[in-house]
């Protein structure tokens, strides 16, 4: 099982948590922790083997311990896969990549569906055949209704995590708030360098020697949410804006896939405007 | 010898330049060129062996060819080393690094001196003993006079290239203009992400997963000049602002050293707000 | 059009080639050259605009020039796409990746077919529907016949380039010789570190901190052909052999895709046991 | 204080260690652990605040706990700096780099001396003035005596860690055994690619596209000890063997500095032929 927790720091947290698990016959397989000395918050992720333990009792008892320490916490059986909804637009390289990784077992999740503002035939060359597809077109006028539909879909499908796989639409503040900590976006630029439209063209005009991408949690401010993962690639004066877009696709898909995998494995903990990512 | 040139693109430039060299018994050892299809400017760097040729005649004749093609150009014997003035402040990691690389023959230049707003004993642990040291303290009130002194020094020492090795002072617009294309600064941040003071602290507050540094030509706008070289390193939530400063030092010194080496080998050509860097 | 050439170095090659193009009304858009001072070989790649020129005459005339300079050369209209045959095995991440990149126009080629020693349904989740699929099973006993069939297929489909996209079969010396300079393999390890089977397991046992992949031309010695492209990723003690295999997939597919793109754009020139790669 | 430990895995180790610290009023600031499921060994590093605790009692009591769990362990006050002896040869870029980092406070250690088989004036341009310098020339015939002298020096100076900063001499099996886990070498190549002399020349001849360096613990087999840190840089056909040597210097010094810093902060635990490195 995977336990994550965060709470105000104080003496004995590790001792209490590890004693709790030990007394219930659980064996810790991996544990990482972080003590943010600036904010006084403590973060921990524990992977443990709970074969002998009564899961319901474990959860109930831990709740009592957690309340005493003012913890935010999650406890999940690794066999229970997260349910993930993928939102895409006409640029489908991230969508194709995530679906491929899912099929070969690299991303342990259940895909609850694919949502796009473009019709299904846009993705004819990606194998989506056993996945529910939802065409939810959106315009400025219909955004409110479309988001309502989207939210209904998220609820009906019991979706845990929403991935904006180059969705190209800004979620409203209201919907963003509902999805706090469970909606991941890929920003096609090394944040916070080039905001706004066509960041690769901006990067080209500026003559930068590196371009990058950022995966982050969605908040009201589209490109300013807590960053989960970033990467860059070297470019040169020979690269046209189109070359940057091509190289950018490679960075975007690997950054988004990494960020999603971290999230699926409960490695990402929110720390205010930042994240704690317990990487492997 | 090394020839660099830029001019409006037109047919036959390579043919004319290479025929010019061939007819004078010169052998091209390396050549790189770039045709900027956006701006219509053409850029070229040619390294050639001119053993048989009369250097003065070569230069004179090339001037005639260049005029006809509206070229900006430079022609330099590789044996003539550039004369470089190093400006530092109390953070001396870039200064120490450049001096070491110069001593072991990695940077082919003559150092005309070291300038600092701190006294010589600040650098007691760096071997500057055979280098002229100039203590030019500066305050808001004396900046004008200090820059006049600096400019006089640049002229008297026949300095070709000025390196701001973490100089921590913004050159005035006037002095920047005089040093166009021959003053290199290292900006301790991945441009244009975090402007202003304490960029590593800003990066930490934002929770980024990569930090970097940029070497660029100085223009009136300190951190916005044409970028020559950039690099990044991966960081994590465990890194304190002090860790970022430490990692930043490593990036800064290697980025500045690379940029300076490119400049010393005439690999950097100005292209408006950008550079063309013919790397090896 | 793209011209590539290599020949023993001598004075005036650039002058002669550029004069040749200029006289025929061609405009050089990009040119890179390299003078290997160890072997005395000269290498050049020229991209030029030949709108006015008679292609057949151009080719014929260039042949005369080339003969005089003992050149190996190629001249190709960029509109004529290379014909590429993809060979795969049960690990299909490179195959899926190349087909996706081809569909979105990132790899300018015509795919002449997909060959595998596994049946078509192995690839049901990749969109191969408009591509000829050839199931050519192979055993130790039938290798000779299978390679004969493969060679026949290469000839019948007028295939220019063969890509071993994790084909997992060693081509015989005879077939390798026939495909010299036009068969690219991806070796799932940072050459020449870990030869033989299960390189990621070897890397894990050795406790390395970086793993990588190499794309290279196939020669008789499977993993020793001229290297075209390599890349690495950082790993840690937490990574199991399975994690290395997963991270390896990412490196393999981007290294193979880059190498193939370089080859499709005539950027790769053979230089004995090495390559000259004129990257963008 | 920093506690490191390794022992056969069993339930309750974390619980016992953290309870031990909690009961003695210690506050855990950082902890990382790793359970090697292949070998059944458990590894842990704990940084804690022990202000109230009696250090001697802490150490004594922990010894009792450790014996019961068959631990190898270390417990160190962060204020007690390791004593480090630097061994160099005529290539002094790593030596100069380590000394500089030490002077600016980046490497928390006491340097017990510098040993070289070259005389002191070799290093005239590095500021070694307050460091004991030992000229210990070595030939095949005098190696035995020289190592005896070196060992005596290590003992007399109470040296904890020996750094081969491009020492260019293979330590004998006997001396290597005495220095197990406390002697770090920088190997000027990406292990285990190019063994033997002139690895950069070998890499050049092979036409690789990346070169690297490895820092590792010294064992009897010079380049085969447990790897602590590695890094690479991209190269191209334009790079001569001399360029590779230059780029190699940059990689070597940053890899060695990182490895040493990890060791000084007790982040490196031996795991058979491998290391567990609890990075920051």
């Amino acid at each position: 099982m995977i336990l994550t927790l965060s709470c105000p720091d104080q003496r004995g947290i590790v001792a209490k948590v590890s004693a709790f698990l030990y007394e219930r016959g659980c064996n810790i397989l991996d544990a990482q922790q972080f003590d943010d000395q600036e904010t006084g918050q403590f973060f921990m992720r524990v992977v443990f083997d709970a074969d002998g333990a009564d899961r319901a009792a474990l959860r109930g008892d831990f709740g009592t311990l957690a309340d005493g320490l003012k913890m935010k916490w999650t406890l999940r059986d690794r066999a229970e896969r997260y349910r993930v909804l993928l939102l895409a637009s006409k640029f489908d390289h991230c969508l194709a990549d995530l679906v491929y990784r899912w099929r070969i077992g690299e991303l342990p999740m259940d895909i609850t569906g694919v949502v796009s503002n473009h019709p299904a035939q846009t993705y004819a060359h990606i194998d989506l055949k056993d996945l529910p597809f939802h065409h939810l077109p959106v315009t400025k006028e219909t955004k409110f209704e479309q988001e309502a539909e989207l939210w209904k879909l998220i609820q009906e499908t019991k979706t845990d995590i929403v991935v904006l796989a180059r969705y190209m639409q800004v979620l409203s503040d209201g919907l963003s708030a509902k999805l706090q900590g469970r909606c991941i976006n890929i920003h096609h630029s090394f944040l916070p360098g080039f905001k706004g439209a066509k960041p690769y063209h901006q990067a080209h005009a500026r003559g930068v020697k590196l371009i990058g991408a950022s995966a982050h949690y969605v908040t009201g401010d589209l490109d300013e949410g807590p960053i989960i993962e970033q990467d860059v690639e070297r470019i040169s004066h020979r690269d046209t804006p189109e070359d940057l877009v091509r190289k950018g696709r490679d960075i975007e898909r690997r950054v988004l896939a990494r960020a999603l995998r971290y999230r699926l494995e409960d490695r990402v903990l929110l720390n205010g405007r930042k994240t704690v990512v317990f990487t492997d």
Side-chain angles (χ1 to χ4, degrees), chain A:
Chain A
M1 301 195 78
I2 304 178
L3 169 70
T4 73
L5 61 92
S6 65
C7 61
D9 191 27
Q10 55 173 277
R11 281 188 198 189
I13 302 173
V14 180
K16 285 170 187 164
V17 171
S18 52
F20 176 92
L21 293 172
Y22 180 47
E23 287 158 10
R24 278 152 191 83
C26 302
N27 191 29
I28 295 180
L29 300 175
D30 188 20
Q32 291 187 73
Q33 60 194 72
F34 173 62
D35 192 353
D36 188 335
Q37 304 203 6
E38 273 181 38
T39 62
Q41 281 293 111
F42 176 87
F43 301 85
M44 193 174 189
R45 175 183 186 266
V46 186
V47 182
F48 61 92
D49 192 345
D51 31 27
D54 173 333
R55 305 297 166 93
L58 198 70
R59 190 175 294 273
D61 293 354
F62 193 80
T64 311
L65 175 68
D67 286 351
L69 293 164
K70 299 201 171 108
M71 283 180 186
K72 283 188 213 168
W73 59 284
T74 65
L75 179 61
R76 187 174 63 88
D77 192 327
R78 279 197 283 184
E80 291 160 21
R81 291 146 65 106
Y82 280 116
R83 297 175 62 76
V84 179
L85 187 68
L86 303 174
L87 275 60
S89 190
K90 70 181 165 168
F91 301 109
D92 59 16
H93 52 284
C94 285
L95 176 65
D97 184 64
L98 294 178
V99 169
Y100 177 80
R101 290 179 195 265
W102 165 72
R103 288 206 191 278
I104 65 168
E106 194 173 306
L107 291 172
M109 62 184 178
D110 292 329
I111 299 181
T112 56
V114 174
V115 171
S116 175
N117 46 354
H118 295 268
Q121 64 262 33
T122 310
Y123 310 103
H125 59 288
I126 308 178
D127 178 22
L128 301 179
K129 60 178 163 295
D130 47 2
L131 296 173
F133 183 88
H134 304 272
H135 179 208
L136 299 186
V138 61
T139 64
K140 213 185 283 188
E141 289 71 29
T142 64
K143 180 167 179 172
F144 187 82
E145 288 82 357
Q146 194 254 12
E147 285 204 342
E149 253 186 291
L150 184 55
W151 176 239
K152 203 176 133 206
L153 185 64
I154 291 167
Q155 289 176 295
E156 284 175 359
T157 55
K158 299 189 169 54
T159 287
D160 299 302
I161 298 168
V162 173
V163 177
L164 308 188
R166 297 297 308 278
Y167 179 53
M168 309 297 281
Q169 300 291 326
V170 181
L171 298 192
S172 68
D173 287 2
L175 187 53
S176 297
K178 287 218 165 297
L179 296 174
Q180 205 225 7
R182 56 199 192 100
C183 179
I184 300 173
N185 185 41
I186 180 75
H187 189 263
H188 52 320
S189 165
F190 181 71
L191 259 173
F194 299 104
K195 293 181 193 174
K198 298 212 162 193
Y200 292 124
H201 290 74
Q202 289 185 55
H204 183 260
R206 185 66 187 82
V208 298
K209 306 302 184 191
L210 297 168
I211 55 165
S214 296
H216 62 94
Y217 277 132
V218 169
T219 58
D221 186 355
L222 180 61
D223 302 329
E224 293 286 347
I227 297 166
I228 301 171
E229 172 66 356
Q230 299 183 302
D231 210 348
V232 293
E233 268 188 37
R234 190 161 283 273
I235 58 166
S236 85
H237 59 269
R238 290 183 187 274
D239 287 295
T240 61
E242 290 66 40
D243 290 328
L244 301 196
V245 168
R246 171 174 54 74
K247 292 186 175 181
R249 279 196 296 264
D250 263 32
I251 315 173
E252 291 161 24
R253 56 187 209 170
R254 73 173 181 261
V255 168
L256 181 58
R258 271 187 218 144
L260 179 55
R261 192 172 59 77
Y262 291 153
R263 182 61 179 77
L264 294 173
E265 297 176 352
D266 294 320
R267 295 179 181 280
V268 187
L269 281 72
L270 270 171
N271 181 16
R273 287 176 61 211
K274 304 195 282 188
T275 59
V276 170
V277 181
F278 291 121
T279 55
D280 46 1

